[in-house]
Amino acid sequence: MSVTKDDVQYVANLARLQLTDEEAENFKEDMNDILGYIDQLNELDTEDVEPLEHVTEITASKFREDEAKEPISHDDALKNAPDADSDYFRVPRVIE
């Protein structure tokens, strides 16, 4: 499978990106290199390889115990807020 410049422009359009012709050409080359590498990986015999949950061994002792604690009070939660209004954080409006 080979990626064309039209494929790159299609994906860029889906991502709402505007690419110059030079950028599209560079991305085309990069994407073809990535697909070539994936083809190399697909040639490997992985028949006897078991799937991993983690790349390294993780033992349960590395995790902290899950302990219930008292919730933080409203005053403590709002203590470091840049702006607060009684029981709430005050944030700038983002929707008009």
Side-chain angles (χ1 to χ4, degrees):
M1 177 177 172
S2 180
V3 176
T4 66
K5 197 170 171 182
D6 289 336
D7 295 330
V8 172
Q9 290 292 1
Y10 176 74
V11 172
N13 184 45
L14 291 175
R16 305 289 191 254
L17 298 174
Q18 292 181 342
L19 300 178
T20 65
D21 287 340
E22 182 180 333
E23 290 171 328
E25 187 64 34
N26 289 339
F27 280 121
K28 180 187 90 163
E29 292 173 13
D30 290 345
M31 291 172 78
N32 282 320
D33 289 344
I34 292 168
L35 291 174
Y37 183 67
I38 291 171
D39 285 340
Q40 283 182 331
L41 292 175
N42 286 334
E43 293 174 7
L44 294 174
D45 179 20
T46 58
E47 186 69 30
D48 297 326
V49 178
E50 291 190 28
L52 296 174
E53 291 178 355
H54 300 282
V55 177
T56 59
E57 286 294 322
I58 295 180
T59 59
S61 64
K62 292 185 180 180
F63 296 112
R64 65 173 171 78
E65 290 295 320
D66 190 15
E67 299 172 357
K69 296 183 179 179
E70 288 296 318
I72 190 169
S73 70
H74 283 287
D75 293 334
D76 286 341
L78 296 173
K79 182 171 44 177
N80 292 321
D83 193 10
D85 180 21
S86 71
D87 290 336
Y88 305 101
F89 289 98
R90 179 170 277 186
V91 296
R93 175 179 280 195
V94 293
I95 300 175
E96 300 202 25

